[in-house]
Amino acid sequence: FAEVAGFVGSISSKHSTAKHGRHKTRTCRCNGADDPALRELERSSISALASAGGTPPPGFDAFHDLIWVDELARCGAGGVLWSVFFSFGISLPPVLAQGSQRLKEMCARPVISGEKVMSLAVSEPWAGSDVAGLRTTAELTPCGKYYKVNGEKKWITSGIKASFFTTAVRTAGAGIGGDSLLLISPDTPGVSVRRMKTQGWWSSNTAFITFDDVRVPVEDALIGEEGRGFLYIMHNFNHERFSLAAMAARYSRLCLGHAIAWARAASQDG
């Protein structure tokens, strides 16, 4: 525990004073590829399989994971954590768990090595993360070899820099049985990505994505089985919420600590 906390804490302290980019900036320097130590942290993440170039610590369990997130959160900047570590931590696992070997070879190694960025594209403008009510559609072409994707995704973390989107779409009727997951590249014709002007987390490169008659091959896009996307997403959300809870607890302690320090140092007149 002490070894994990010490290593992660040293990296967190090093980057805790990093300045965030302005709204008008399309990209941000907060990326694993910018720093060898950050890339090593990505490779040693719990999600980084050894078969895909990762170096996961032996015996790494949920308690180590809690320390990992807690120590990183000491930097006090959620946008940094999500842009460097957690965006791929919530977008790659469905591919590793359910994707074909073809999909894994396509994105796992470059993402785990820190060479490329990956984002989870679930939230939509009209309802946020209403997974059962997705409006982004993916219709099979008459030949059955392609999906034609139409719709919009909003608040997509690291979307500006992403090379892959794990995209939640509707491939069938209403409800949870109609959801599926597709791996889509932003370079595909019909995909447009623009920077969102968010109130905070400027370094997380939050994006608005539009899919306009985007054609993707079924073989290179479908993650797992068609119609089981809701199950995959709910399973994936478990660890994401765990990380958010750990971050919130640490940020609360940081806020309290700063408040106490300020109160003790402040002078009182009259």
Side-chain angles (χ1 to χ4, degrees):
F1 286 157
E3 183 178 355
V4 173
F7 175 58
V8 180
S10 66
I11 302 300
S12 176
S13 298
K14 176 182 176 182
H15 291 269
S16 62
T17 57
K19 294 182 180 179
H20 296 192
R22 300 298 298 172
H23 282 162
K24 63 182 179 181
T25 304
R26 177 173 173 80
T27 59
C28 176
R29 293 185 59 82
C30 295
N31 185 292
D34 294 332
D35 190 298
L38 293 179
R39 293 183 67 173
E40 179 57 31
L41 275 175
E42 288 185 339
R43 284 193 291 268
S44 62
S45 167
I46 191 171
S47 302
L49 298 182
S51 60
T55 55
F60 196 101
D61 60 21
F63 290 101
H64 292 90
D65 198 9
L66 175 61
I67 295 171
W68 167 275
V69 177
D70 180 70
E71 290 293 336
L72 288 174
R74 285 180 182 272
C75 71
V80 173
L81 271 70
W82 279 97
S83 64
V84 178
F85 305 104
F86 297 154
S87 63
F88 95 91
I90 62 174
S91 55
L92 184 58
V95 176
L96 297 178
Q98 306 295 337
S100 64
Q101 187 61 34
R102 183 185 182 92
L103 291 185
K104 294 175 185 177
E105 293 174 356
M106 186 186 306
C107 66
R109 185 172 291 273
V111 170
I112 288 174
S113 68
E115 297 171 9
K116 293 187 177 181
V117 176
M118 191 172 186
S119 294
L120 180 66
V122 174
S123 298
E124 297 180 338
W126 25 82
S129 298
D130 179 12
V131 183
L134 294 173
R135 298 188 189 180
T136 298
T137 60
E139 299 178 356
L140 276 175
T141 57
C143 66
K145 295 183 179 181
Y146 298 89
Y147 284 113
K148 185 172 69 174
V149 183
N150 285 281
E152 297 175 329
K153 297 294 180 180
K154 193 174 183 181
W155 308 291
I156 306 307
T157 303
S158 296
I160 292 295
K161 283 194 170 187
S163 297
F164 307 100
F165 295 127
T166 298
T167 313
V169 298
R170 182 160 301 287
T171 52
I176 63 177
D179 292 351
S180 298
L181 286 180
L182 300 181
L183 186 67
I184 301 177
S185 167
D187 297 326
T188 308
V191 179
S192 63
V193 183
R194 63 178 174 84
R195 179 81 184 243
M196 291 182 62
K197 293 184 178 181
T198 55
Q199 183 179 18
W201 282 26
W202 295 352
S203 59
S204 66
N205 295 288
T206 306
F208 190 106
I209 307 169
T210 302
F211 302 97
D212 185 9
D213 286 342
V214 177
R215 285 169 58 94
V216 292
V218 174
E219 186 179 15
D220 292 338
L222 182 62
I223 301 173
E225 300 179 31
E226 186 175 292
R228 294 180 62 82
F230 183 88
L231 177 64
Y232 300 156
I233 296 169
M234 290 298 103
H235 179 77
N236 197 54
F237 276 174
N238 285 335
H239 185 262
E240 179 182 350
R241 272 40 179 179
F242 171 87
S243 299
L244 288 169
M247 290 169 62
R250 171 52 61 182
Y251 293 155
S252 297
R253 295 181 66 179
L254 283 172
C255 290
L256 179 60
H258 286 308
I260 293 174
W262 183 89
R264 286 174 174 171
S267 61
Q268 299 292 331
D269 298 327

